[in-house]
Amino acid sequence: MPSHEAVVESEFVFRIHLGETVLPFRALEPMQAVLPIERKGILEDAKIEGYPALNAWWTRANQVWEANRSSERLTLSQQLDYHGKLRGQLPVGAERVAYTKSGMHLAAARVSDPRAIIDHTLYWAAVATAEEGRYLCAILNAVVVTERVRPLMAYGKDERHIDKYVWSLPIPMFDPANALHQRIAVLGRDAEEFVAQVGIGTQHFARQRRLVRDLLAESDVGRAIELAVTQLLDAPGSSQAALADPTEANITALLEAGRTAEARALAAGTRWEAALAPPLTKAAETASATGDLPANLHWVAENATAYRAKWVALKAGSLVASGSSLATLQQELRGRVDRAELTLMQVPA
């Protein structure tokens, strides 16, 4: 599409952070965008008309959108605030942490700019202080976090989408009175100063991130962060929650990745063991291949009280039939439906 240049009221020119502007411990120079927003919200069309330059820009932007959008489902205003992604950032916080959505490594950096908006390609969290932000960045950028989460990550060329599972780890809220938390925050500050001195050049942002990670791994501050974050995750009471606590969420994550055997191993000795038992492998594996098994497991969790100890036949997260025993359920299903499409399981007692 052709570029568009014009003079616009400065109050509507914002800086935008994309995935490519965030490296570990370092936010790069953001992009710029014209947005019809004020401190408390998005401007309605009638109010936009009160700003001549913004109105001209917005009219032109709408024309370009209408001519090039892939479907007629959303207007430009609706797309800008789809799922509240823009409105949810207003008013803009003084201190935030932004981190990447995809990949097998997180990259997290502080954003201390009240004129910066964070694009949907990043996650963000408001923090009370810069100190808390540095604490979170040190944790999210630590290699040990990737290692602890990796068993739950989806397989691809490499494991990916670490963002889905990182908060399964026992990461405590920042406590300024906690000596270890303070230590991690100070190390986060030192890492920011270290990375700020790295010459990243003009190479692709993925290479820039890799360069920063490699240099941190060889540095004193990087090694100190790994030790401190390991100590945090292994603190009494937090003991490897993401891997050792066989919760529905972690079992479901493995099932979604097609890793049924690992899900069964995680469920061993828990109330989920019967639901994933090998005798049901044929039906369960078929459902897992189509994505039904995670939905069915969620149904069991939601209806465990009403169907306690009963046998159920499920399809795509919905109940097909139930019985007091497997034989009763099979009798109920006879001639009604293709068994290959179902998951049969006993609801935990």
Side-chain angles (χ1 to χ4, degrees):
M1 291 184 291
S3 61
H4 177 52
E5 296 183 6
V7 177
V8 178
E9 293 89 347
S10 61
E11 62 195 282
F12 301 113
V13 178
F14 291 84
R15 290 175 283 277
I16 309 293
H17 278 290
L18 309 176
E20 62 198 70
T21 66
V22 171
L23 308 182
F25 298 106
R26 180 173 172 181
L28 301 179
E29 185 68 24
M31 308 295 183
Q32 284 194 322
V34 175
L35 296 173
I37 60 177
E38 54 187 1
R39 185 177 184 276
K40 294 184 178 180
I42 302 171
L43 296 180
E44 301 292 340
D45 288 345
K47 201 164 184 179
I48 291 175
E49 292 174 0
Y51 299 91
L54 173 64
N55 188 45
W57 178 283
W58 192 242
T59 299
R60 173 57 180 158
N62 271 287
Q63 291 170 348
V64 173
W65 172 258
E66 295 290 336
N68 293 277
R69 61 182 176 173
S70 57
S71 76
E72 297 182 0
R73 191 162 64 93
L74 299 175
T75 66
L76 178 56
S77 295
Q78 291 170 334
Q79 172 61 30
L80 278 177
D81 195 37
Y82 189 57
H83 286 173
K85 61 185 177 183
L86 182 55
R87 193 179 306 272
Q89 297 188 52
L90 306 175
V92 176
E95 286 287 339
R96 289 167 291 171
V97 169
Y99 65 98
T100 49
K101 271 191 173 182
S102 61
M104 65 176 295
H105 299 281
L106 287 178
R110 286 189 310 115
V111 176
S112 304
D113 181 356
R115 298 288 298 173
I117 299 295
I118 296 174
D119 181 66
H120 72 97
T121 54
L122 295 166
Y123 286 121
W124 63 274
V127 291
T129 63
E131 190 177 39
E132 182 180 10
R134 293 179 178 119
Y135 165 82
L136 275 179
C137 286
I139 294 169
L140 294 175
N141 288 317
V143 176
V144 66
V145 166
T146 300
E147 292 174 346
R148 299 285 177 98
V149 175
R150 183 168 289 166
L152 299 178
M153 292 162 63
Y155 281 122
K157 179 182 177 182
D158 296 303
E159 293 89 345
R160 60 189 187 277
H161 303 317
I162 185 174
D163 61 289
K164 290 184 178 181
Y165 308 112
V166 66
W167 300 113
S168 296
L169 291 176
I171 299 173
M173 296 285 288
F174 177 66
D175 179 0
N178 183 296
L180 179 57
H181 294 195
Q182 282 283 358
R183 168 70 174 155
I184 293 173
V186 170
L187 289 170
R189 180 202 64 196
D190 294 345
E192 286 179 343
E193 294 174 355
F194 176 86
V195 174
Q197 302 303 314
V198 174
I200 58 173
T202 58
Q203 58 190 326
H204 189 271
F205 69 90
R207 291 181 177 273
Q208 293 174 338
R209 288 178 187 163
R210 189 178 305 117
L211 171 64
V212 168
R213 285 197 303 269
D214 289 347
L215 291 175
L216 278 169
E218 298 171 0
S219 69
D220 291 341
V221 65
R223 286 189 285 267
I225 285 174
E226 296 302 325
L227 290 173
V229 174
T230 299
Q231 184 181 352
L232 181 78
L233 297 178
D234 290 342
S238 57
S239 65
Q240 287 282 331
L243 304 183
D245 181 17
T247 62
E248 177 207 350
N250 290 334
I251 292 172
T252 299
L254 290 170
L255 292 171
E256 287 176 338
R259 297 157 68 179
T260 307
E262 293 172 69
R264 288 198 189 104
L266 193 60
T270 76
R271 65 194 186 99
W272 299 108
E273 184 172 15
L276 298 176
L280 302 178
T281 298
K282 188 174 187 300
E285 293 286 4
T286 301
S288 179
T290 61
D292 280 2
L293 194 50
N296 292 339
L297 189 62
H298 181 71
W299 184 95
V300 172
E302 291 289 311
N303 297 275
T305 301
Y307 290 85
R308 187 181 305 277
K310 289 186 177 181
W311 281 85
V312 294
L314 304 171
K315 180 179 179 181
S318 297
L319 179 69
V320 175
S322 66
S324 58
S325 67
L326 178 58
T328 302
L329 178 62
Q330 290 173 329
Q331 180 66 33
E332 178 71 18
L333 292 171
R334 188 163 296 162
R336 285 181 49 191
V337 68
D338 184 358
R339 278 282 307 276
E341 298 180 354
L342 301 178
T343 298
L344 307 185
M345 58 177 66
Q346 185 179 26
V347 177

